[in-house]
Each structure stands twice: as C-alpha cells, then as structure tokens.
mmCIF file of all heavy atoms in Angstrom:
data_model
loop_
_atom_site.group_PDB
_atom_site.id
_atom_site.type_symbol
_atom_site.label_atom_id
_atom_site.label_comp_id
_atom_site.label_asym_id
_atom_site.label_seq_id
_atom_site.Cartn_x
_atom_site.Cartn_y
_atom_site.Cartn_z
ATOM 1 N N PRO E 1 -7.645 5.310 -6.803
ATOM 2 C CA PRO E 1 -7.567 3.872 -6.489
ATOM 3 C C PRO E 1 -6.141 3.461 -6.127
ATOM 4 O O PRO E 1 -5.171 3.893 -6.757
ATOM 5 C CB PRO E 1 -8.016 3.221 -7.810
ATOM 6 C CG PRO E 1 -8.889 4.239 -8.466
ATOM 7 C CD PRO E 1 -8.280 5.569 -8.107
ATOM 8 N N GLY E 2 -6.032 2.644 -5.105
ATOM 9 C CA GLY E 2 -4.739 2.192 -4.614
ATOM 10 C C GLY E 2 -4.244 2.965 -3.409
ATOM 11 O O GLY E 2 -3.304 2.531 -2.732
ATOM 12 N N THR E 3 -4.893 4.093 -3.106
ATOM 13 C CA THR E 3 -4.430 4.927 -1.988
ATOM 14 C C THR E 3 -4.669 4.253 -0.643
ATOM 15 O O THR E 3 -3.820 4.338 0.251
ATOM 16 C CB THR E 3 -5.122 6.301 -2.036
ATOM 17 O OG1 THR E 3 -4.758 6.966 -3.251
ATOM 18 C CG2 THR E 3 -4.707 7.157 -0.846
ATOM 19 N N VAL E 4 -5.794 3.581 -0.487
ATOM 20 C CA VAL E 4 -6.077 2.906 0.795
ATOM 21 C C VAL E 4 -4.983 1.893 1.105
ATOM 22 O O VAL E 4 -4.495 1.805 2.241
ATOM 23 C CB VAL E 4 -7.461 2.225 0.762
ATOM 24 C CG1 VAL E 4 -7.656 1.361 2.003
ATOM 25 C CG2 VAL E 4 -8.570 3.268 0.679
ATOM 26 N N GLU E 5 -4.559 1.155 0.097
ATOM 27 C CA GLU E 5 -3.511 0.155 0.302
ATOM 28 C C GLU E 5 -2.183 0.814 0.659
ATOM 29 O O GLU E 5 -1.422 0.299 1.505
ATOM 30 C CB GLU E 5 -3.364 -0.701 -0.956
ATOM 31 C CG GLU E 5 -4.541 -1.622 -1.251
ATOM 32 C CD GLU E 5 -5.755 -0.908 -1.829
ATOM 33 O OE1 GLU E 5 -5.620 0.279 -2.245
ATOM 34 O OE2 GLU E 5 -6.833 -1.525 -1.878
ATOM 35 N N LEU E 6 -1.894 1.950 0.041
ATOM 36 C CA LEU E 6 -0.665 2.673 0.357
ATOM 37 C C LEU E 6 -0.700 3.213 1.789
ATOM 38 O O LEU E 6 0.309 3.180 2.500
ATOM 39 C CB LEU E 6 -0.460 3.819 -0.630
ATOM 40 C CG LEU E 6 -0.070 3.411 -2.056
ATOM 41 C CD1 LEU E 6 -0.164 4.608 -2.992
ATOM 42 C CD2 LEU E 6 1.336 2.815 -2.095
ATOM 43 N N LEU E 7 -1.842 3.730 2.212
ATOM 44 C CA LEU E 7 -1.973 4.214 3.590
ATOM 45 C C LEU E 7 -1.786 3.066 4.574
ATOM 46 O O LEU E 7 -1.135 3.229 5.627
ATOM 47 C CB LEU E 7 -3.349 4.857 3.791
ATOM 48 C CG LEU E 7 -3.622 6.145 3.007
ATOM 49 C CD1 LEU E 7 -5.090 6.561 3.175
ATOM 50 C CD2 LEU E 7 -2.709 7.276 3.475
ATOM 51 N N ASP E 8 -2.336 1.920 4.249
ATOM 52 C CA ASP E 8 -2.192 0.732 5.083
ATOM 53 C C ASP E 8 -0.711 0.386 5.249
ATOM 54 O O ASP E 8 -0.229 0.128 6.367
ATOM 55 C CB ASP E 8 -2.952 -0.420 4.416
ATOM 56 C CG ASP E 8 -3.086 -1.641 5.312
ATOM 57 O OD1 ASP E 8 -2.902 -1.513 6.539
ATOM 58 O OD2 ASP E 8 -3.387 -2.731 4.788
ATOM 59 N N GLU E 9 0.021 0.418 4.148
ATOM 60 C CA GLU E 9 1.451 0.106 4.188
ATOM 61 C C GLU E 9 2.232 1.158 4.973
ATOM 62 O O GLU E 9 3.141 0.829 5.747
ATOM 63 C CB GLU E 9 1.991 0.021 2.756
ATOM 64 C CG GLU E 9 3.441 -0.415 2.664
ATOM 65 C CD GLU E 9 3.945 -0.506 1.232
ATOM 66 O OE1 GLU E 9 3.121 -0.407 0.294
ATOM 67 O OE2 GLU E 9 5.166 -0.674 1.063
ATOM 68 N N ALA E 10 1.869 2.435 4.794
ATOM 69 C CA ALA E 10 2.578 3.517 5.491
ATOM 70 C C ALA E 10 2.418 3.407 6.994
ATOM 71 O O ALA E 10 3.371 3.608 7.759
ATOM 72 C CB ALA E 10 2.067 4.864 5.007
ATOM 73 N N LEU E 11 1.220 3.074 7.450
ATOM 74 C CA LEU E 11 0.992 2.909 8.887
ATOM 75 C C LEU E 11 1.774 1.711 9.412
ATOM 76 O O LEU E 11 2.328 1.765 10.516
ATOM 77 C CB LEU E 11 -0.499 2.740 9.162
ATOM 78 C CG LEU E 11 -1.381 3.957 8.854
ATOM 79 C CD1 LEU E 11 -2.855 3.621 9.060
ATOM 80 C CD2 LEU E 11 -0.999 5.161 9.716
ATOM 81 N N ALA E 12 1.849 0.653 8.628
ATOM 82 C CA ALA E 12 2.605 -0.528 9.043
ATOM 83 C C ALA E 12 4.093 -0.229 9.124
ATOM 84 O O ALA E 12 4.817 -0.839 9.925
ATOM 85 C CB ALA E 12 2.348 -1.680 8.073
ATOM 86 N N GLN E 13 4.566 0.732 8.312
ATOM 87 C CA GLN E 13 5.995 1.050 8.273
ATOM 88 C C GLN E 13 6.412 2.125 9.267
ATOM 89 O O GLN E 13 7.579 2.492 9.316
ATOM 90 C CB GLN E 13 6.379 1.467 6.849
ATOM 91 C CG GLN E 13 6.361 0.324 5.864
ATOM 92 C CD GLN E 13 6.919 0.714 4.499
ATOM 93 O OE1 GLN E 13 7.487 1.797 4.338
ATOM 94 N NE2 GLN E 13 6.773 -0.156 3.526
ATOM 95 N N GLY E 14 5.462 2.674 10.027
ATOM 96 C CA GLY E 14 5.882 3.580 11.093
ATOM 97 C C GLY E 14 5.295 4.971 11.100
ATOM 98 O O GLY E 14 5.665 5.779 11.962
ATOM 99 N N CYS E 15 4.394 5.298 10.179
ATOM 100 C CA CYS E 15 3.699 6.586 10.291
ATOM 101 C C CYS E 15 2.800 6.533 11.525
ATOM 102 O O CYS E 15 2.038 5.584 11.703
ATOM 103 C CB CYS E 15 2.870 6.864 9.046
ATOM 104 S SG CYS E 15 3.844 7.259 7.576
ATOM 105 N N GLU E 16 2.883 7.572 12.353
ATOM 106 C CA GLU E 16 2.183 7.532 13.645
ATOM 107 C C GLU E 16 0.713 7.911 13.571
ATOM 108 O O GLU E 16 -0.064 7.574 14.469
ATOM 109 C CB GLU E 16 2.878 8.474 14.637
ATOM 110 C CG GLU E 16 4.259 8.034 15.070
ATOM 111 C CD GLU E 16 5.361 8.543 14.174
ATOM 112 O OE1 GLU E 16 5.049 9.116 13.093
ATOM 113 O OE2 GLU E 16 6.529 8.379 14.537
ATOM 114 N N VAL E 17 0.325 8.647 12.540
ATOM 115 C CA VAL E 17 -1.030 9.192 12.451
ATOM 116 C C VAL E 17 -1.556 8.965 11.042
ATOM 117 O O VAL E 17 -0.804 8.985 10.065
ATOM 118 C CB VAL E 17 -1.043 10.702 12.782
ATOM 119 C CG1 VAL E 17 -2.464 11.259 12.771
ATOM 120 C CG2 VAL E 17 -0.376 10.969 14.133
ATOM 121 N N LEU E 18 -2.874 8.764 10.928
ATOM 122 C CA LEU E 18 -3.531 8.618 9.631
ATOM 123 C C LEU E 18 -4.211 9.928 9.272
ATOM 124 O O LEU E 18 -4.968 10.483 10.065
ATOM 125 C CB LEU E 18 -4.560 7.490 9.688
ATOM 126 C CG LEU E 18 -5.428 7.305 8.437
ATOM 127 C CD1 LEU E 18 -4.559 6.947 7.221
ATOM 128 C CD2 LEU E 18 -6.483 6.225 8.677
ATOM 129 N N GLY E 19 -3.958 10.416 8.070
ATOM 130 C CA GLY E 19 -4.558 11.659 7.621
ATOM 131 C C GLY E 19 -5.742 11.446 6.710
ATOM 132 O O GLY E 19 -6.075 10.325 6.316
ATOM 133 N N GLY E 20 -6.373 12.544 6.352
ATOM 134 C CA GLY E 20 -7.491 12.538 5.418
ATOM 135 C C GLY E 20 -7.715 13.959 4.940
ATOM 136 O O GLY E 20 -7.108 14.909 5.462
ATOM 137 N N ILE E 21 -8.578 14.113 3.942
ATOM 138 C CA ILE E 21 -8.836 15.445 3.408
ATOM 139 C C ILE E 21 -10.238 15.521 2.806
ATOM 140 O O ILE E 21 -10.640 14.641 2.047
ATOM 141 C CB ILE E 21 -7.769 15.834 2.358
ATOM 142 C CG1 ILE E 21 -7.972 17.271 1.871
ATOM 143 C CG2 ILE E 21 -7.747 14.845 1.198
ATOM 144 C CD1 ILE E 21 -6.833 17.802 0.995
ATOM 145 N N ASP E 22 -10.973 16.533 3.165
ATOM 146 C CA ASP E 22 -12.250 16.924 2.573
ATOM 147 C C ASP E 22 -13.026 15.757 1.963
ATOM 148 O O ASP E 22 -13.071 15.594 0.729
ATOM 149 C CB ASP E 22 -12.016 17.993 1.514
ATOM 150 C CG ASP E 22 -11.455 19.276 2.103
ATOM 151 O OD1 ASP E 22 -11.543 19.461 3.331
ATOM 152 O OD2 ASP E 22 -10.938 20.106 1.338
ATOM 153 N N PRO E 23 -13.672 14.941 2.796
ATOM 154 C CA PRO E 23 -14.397 13.774 2.275
ATOM 155 C C PRO E 23 -15.460 14.127 1.231
ATOM 156 O O PRO E 23 -15.702 13.342 0.312
ATOM 157 C CB PRO E 23 -15.038 13.178 3.537
ATOM 158 C CG PRO E 23 -14.137 13.610 4.649
ATOM 159 C CD PRO E 23 -13.680 14.984 4.276
ATOM 160 N N CYS E 24 -16.061 15.297 1.362
ATOM 161 C CA CYS E 24 -17.035 15.734 0.358
ATOM 162 C C CYS E 24 -16.340 16.477 -0.782
ATOM 163 O O CYS E 24 -16.483 16.139 -1.959
ATOM 164 C CB CYS E 24 -18.083 16.650 0.993
ATOM 165 S SG CYS E 24 -19.152 15.860 2.211
ATOM 166 N N GLY E 25 -15.570 17.492 -0.443
ATOM 167 C CA GLY E 25 -15.019 18.391 -1.445
ATOM 168 C C GLY E 25 -14.000 17.758 -2.363
ATOM 169 O O GLY E 25 -13.921 18.097 -3.548
ATOM 170 N N ILE E 26 -13.185 16.829 -1.862
ATOM 171 C CA ILE E 26 -12.162 16.181 -2.680
ATOM 172 C C ILE E 26 -12.656 14.844 -3.219
ATOM 173 O O ILE E 26 -12.565 14.569 -4.417
ATOM 174 C CB ILE E 26 -10.857 15.986 -1.884
ATOM 175 C CG1 ILE E 26 -10.227 17.343 -1.536
ATOM 176 C CG2 ILE E 26 -9.870 15.119 -2.661
ATOM 177 C CD1 ILE E 26 -9.743 18.146 -2.734
ATOM 178 N N ASP E 27 -13.194 13.995 -2.350
ATOM 179 C CA ASP E 27 -13.605 12.656 -2.775
ATOM 180 C C ASP E 27 -15.051 12.581 -3.263
ATOM 181 O O ASP E 27 -15.411 11.637 -3.970
ATOM 182 C CB ASP E 27 -13.409 11.652 -1.628
ATOM 183 C CG ASP E 27 -12.041 10.989 -1.656
ATOM 184 O OD1 ASP E 27 -11.516 10.794 -2.763
ATOM 185 O OD2 ASP E 27 -11.498 10.685 -0.585
ATOM 186 N N ARG E 28 -15.887 13.529 -2.856
ATOM 187 C CA ARG E 28 -17.320 13.511 -3.186
ATOM 188 C C ARG E 28 -17.968 12.192 -2.766
ATOM 189 O O ARG E 28 -18.953 11.735 -3.353
ATOM 190 C CB ARG E 28 -17.534 13.760 -4.687
ATOM 191 C CG ARG E 28 -16.988 15.095 -5.151
ATOM 192 C CD ARG E 28 -17.169 15.322 -6.629
ATOM 193 N NE ARG E 28 -16.546 16.576 -7.040
ATOM 194 C CZ ARG E 28 -17.139 17.775 -6.993
ATOM 195 N NH1 ARG E 28 -18.377 17.866 -6.538
ATOM 196 N NH2 ARG E 28 -16.492 18.854 -7.387
ATOM 197 N N ASP E 29 -17.397 11.597 -1.730
ATOM 198 C CA ASP E 29 -17.903 10.324 -1.198
ATOM 199 C C ASP E 29 -17.553 10.270 0.281
ATOM 200 O O ASP E 29 -16.663 9.523 0.700
ATOM 201 C CB ASP E 29 -17.268 9.153 -1.953
ATOM 202 C CG ASP E 29 -17.799 7.799 -1.491
ATOM 203 O OD1 ASP E 29 -18.682 7.769 -0.599
ATOM 204 O OD2 ASP E 29 -17.316 6.770 -2.004
ATOM 205 N N PRO E 30 -18.222 11.088 1.106
ATOM 206 C CA PRO E 30 -17.820 11.149 2.519
ATOM 207 C C PRO E 30 -17.972 9.826 3.245
ATOM 208 O O PRO E 30 -17.116 9.479 4.064
ATOM 209 C CB PRO E 30 -18.751 12.221 3.086
ATOM 210 C CG PRO E 30 -19.914 12.275 2.155
ATOM 211 C CD PRO E 30 -19.354 11.977 0.794
ATOM 212 N N LYS E 31 -19.013 9.080 2.950
ATOM 213 C CA LYS E 31 -19.183 7.796 3.620
ATOM 214 C C LYS E 31 -18.048 6.849 3.249
ATOM 215 O O LYS E 31 -17.454 6.201 4.119
ATOM 216 C CB LYS E 31 -20.519 7.152 3.248
ATOM 217 C CG LYS E 31 -20.763 5.822 3.961
ATOM 218 C CD LYS E 31 -22.080 5.205 3.556
ATOM 219 C CE LYS E 31 -22.349 3.941 4.388
ATOM 220 N NZ LYS E 31 -21.281 2.921 4.282
ATOM 221 N N GLY E 32 -17.734 6.784 1.951
ATOM 222 C CA GLY E 32 -16.677 5.878 1.516
ATOM 223 C C GLY E 32 -15.338 6.233 2.129
ATOM 224 O O GLY E 32 -14.618 5.358 2.639
ATOM 225 N N GLN E 33 -14.976 7.531 2.079
ATOM 226 C CA GLN E 33 -13.675 7.916 2.619
ATOM 227 C C GLN E 33 -13.598 7.683 4.118
ATOM 228 O O GLN E 33 -12.645 7.086 4.623
ATOM 229 C CB GLN E 33 -13.346 9.380 2.336
ATOM 230 C CG GLN E 33 -11.918 9.736 2.788
ATOM 231 C CD GLN E 33 -11.635 11.216 2.880
ATOM 232 O OE1 GLN E 33 -11.346 11.750 3.950
ATOM 233 N NE2 GLN E 33 -11.704 11.914 1.748
ATOM 234 N N LEU E 34 -14.584 8.164 4.851
ATOM 235 C CA LEU E 34 -14.516 8.070 6.307
ATOM 236 C C LEU E 34 -14.576 6.624 6.787
ATOM 237 O O LEU E 34 -13.879 6.252 7.736
ATOM 238 C CB LEU E 34 -15.618 8.905 6.945
ATOM 239 C CG LEU E 34 -15.450 10.424 6.775
ATOM 240 C CD1 LEU E 34 -16.671 11.166 7.306
ATOM 241 C CD2 LEU E 34 -14.187 10.916 7.469
ATOM 242 N N ASP E 35 -15.378 5.800 6.138
ATOM 243 C CA ASP E 35 -15.422 4.381 6.517
ATOM 244 C C ASP E 35 -14.057 3.729 6.301
ATOM 245 O O ASP E 35 -13.579 2.957 7.142
ATOM 246 C CB ASP E 35 -16.492 3.640 5.709
ATOM 247 C CG ASP E 35 -17.903 3.921 6.195
ATOM 248 O OD1 ASP E 35 -18.051 4.523 7.286
ATOM 249 O OD2 ASP E 35 -18.862 3.553 5.488
ATOM 250 N N ALA E 36 -13.421 4.056 5.176
ATOM 251 C CA ALA E 36 -12.109 3.475 4.882
ATOM 252 C C ALA E 36 -11.056 3.945 5.887
ATOM 253 O O ALA E 36 -10.248 3.148 6.392
ATOM 254 C CB ALA E 36 -11.682 3.835 3.459
ATOM 255 N N LEU E 37 -11.061 5.246 6.206
ATOM 256 C CA LEU E 37 -10.058 5.784 7.126
ATOM 257 C C LEU E 37 -10.235 5.245 8.533
ATOM 258 O O LEU E 37 -9.263 4.846 9.195
ATOM 259 C CB LEU E 37 -10.112 7.311 7.128
ATOM 260 C CG LEU E 37 -9.703 8.017 5.828
ATOM 261 C CD1 LEU E 37 -9.795 9.536 6.002
ATOM 262 C CD2 LEU E 37 -8.294 7.623 5.391
ATOM 263 N N PHE E 38 -11.468 5.225 9.014
ATOM 264 C CA PHE E 38 -11.680 4.732 10.380
ATOM 265 C C PHE E 38 -11.365 3.248 10.490
ATOM 266 O O PHE E 38 -10.851 2.783 11.519
ATOM 267 C CB PHE E 38 -13.101 5.047 10.845
ATOM 268 C CG PHE E 38 -13.247 6.425 11.439
ATOM 269 C CD1 PHE E 38 -13.449 7.529 10.624
ATOM 270 C CD2 PHE E 38 -13.148 6.624 12.804
ATOM 271 C CE1 PHE E 38 -13.566 8.798 11.156
ATOM 272 C CE2 PHE E 38 -13.260 7.892 13.357
ATOM 273 C CZ PHE E 38 -13.466 8.990 12.526
ATOM 274 N N ALA E 39 -11.634 2.486 9.424
ATOM 275 C CA ALA E 39 -11.287 1.059 9.447
ATOM 276 C C ALA E 39 -9.774 0.882 9.543
ATOM 277 O O ALA E 39 -9.278 0.031 10.305
ATOM 278 C CB ALA E 39 -11.829 0.368 8.197
ATOM 279 N N LEU E 40 -9.011 1.681 8.785
ATOM 280 C CA LEU E 40 -7.551 1.616 8.859
ATOM 281 C C LEU E 40 -7.048 2.005 10.245
ATOM 282 O O LEU E 40 -6.153 1.359 10.813
ATOM 283 C CB LEU E 40 -6.931 2.546 7.817
ATOM 284 C CG LEU E 40 -6.855 2.060 6.373
ATOM 285 C CD1 LEU E 40 -6.362 3.187 5.473
ATOM 286 C CD2 LEU E 40 -5.940 0.842 6.250
ATOM 287 N N ALA E 41 -7.607 3.077 10.785
ATOM 288 C CA ALA E 41 -7.168 3.555 12.096
ATOM 289 C C ALA E 41 -7.414 2.515 13.179
ATOM 290 O O ALA E 41 -6.560 2.287 14.047
ATOM 291 C CB ALA E 41 -7.875 4.856 12.435
ATOM 292 N N VAL E 42 -8.562 1.882 13.128
ATOM 293 C CA VAL E 42 -8.885 0.855 14.123
ATOM 294 C C VAL E 42 -7.955 -0.341 13.963
ATOM 295 O O VAL E 42 -7.437 -0.890 14.949
ATOM 296 C CB VAL E 42 -10.367 0.433 13.993
ATOM 297 C CG1 VAL E 42 -10.644 -0.801 14.839
ATOM 298 C CG2 VAL E 42 -11.287 1.574 14.405
ATOM 299 N N ARG E 43 -7.696 -0.731 12.727
ATOM 300 C CA ARG E 43 -6.847 -1.902 12.467
ATOM 301 C C ARG E 43 -5.435 -1.674 12.990
ATOM 302 O O ARG E 43 -4.828 -2.562 13.587
ATOM 303 C CB ARG E 43 -6.798 -2.203 10.975
ATOM 304 C CG ARG E 43 -5.997 -3.463 10.629
ATOM 305 C CD ARG E 43 -5.887 -3.637 9.114
ATOM 306 N NE ARG E 43 -7.170 -3.437 8.475
ATOM 307 C CZ ARG E 43 -7.333 -2.951 7.248
ATOM 308 N NH1 ARG E 43 -6.267 -2.584 6.537
ATOM 309 N NH2 ARG E 43 -8.529 -2.815 6.735
ATOM 310 N N HIS E 44 -4.920 -0.465 12.779
ATOM 311 C CA HIS E 44 -3.540 -0.174 13.178
ATOM 312 C C HIS E 44 -3.445 0.488 14.549
ATOM 313 O O HIS E 44 -2.336 0.756 15.017
ATOM 314 C CB HIS E 44 -2.883 0.742 12.140
ATOM 315 C CG HIS E 44 -2.594 0.069 10.837
ATOM 316 N ND1 HIS E 44 -1.450 -0.655 10.610
ATOM 317 C CD2 HIS E 44 -3.321 0.001 9.688
ATOM 318 C CE1 HIS E 44 -1.474 -1.136 9.370
ATOM 319 N NE2 HIS E 44 -2.586 -0.747 8.790
ATOM 320 N N GLN E 45 -4.590 0.765 15.169
ATOM 321 C CA GLN E 45 -4.618 1.458 16.458
ATOM 322 C C GLN E 45 -3.858 2.782 16.385
ATOM 323 O O GLN E 45 -2.984 3.076 17.218
ATOM 324 C CB GLN E 45 -4.057 0.561 17.549
ATOM 325 C CG GLN E 45 -4.924 -0.648 17.856
ATOM 326 C CD GLN E 45 -6.301 -0.254 18.425
ATOM 327 O OE1 GLN E 45 -6.406 0.259 19.535
ATOM 328 N NE2 GLN E 45 -7.356 -0.466 17.653
#
C-alpha cells in the first residue's frame, strides 16, 4: 500500500517510463495491478 501514489509522484518528477512486475506471481492480483499501472501511464502519457 502506498506504492501507486509513489509511482504517480515519480512520473511527475521526471521518470520517463512506468515499470511493473509479475502481476500474478508478486501481487496475486493481475487485474488490480494492471488496471492501476495502465491508469497511471495514461494519466502521465
């Protein structure tokens, strides 16, 4: 918890690319992780 907000801040501060890792194997919630990541990517282009 809190990682999505940190990623949001990192992209706003100049990180050029958004990363992710094993939506099933690490998070065991592929829908939740991928929905969150794609929403961030779209918001920050």
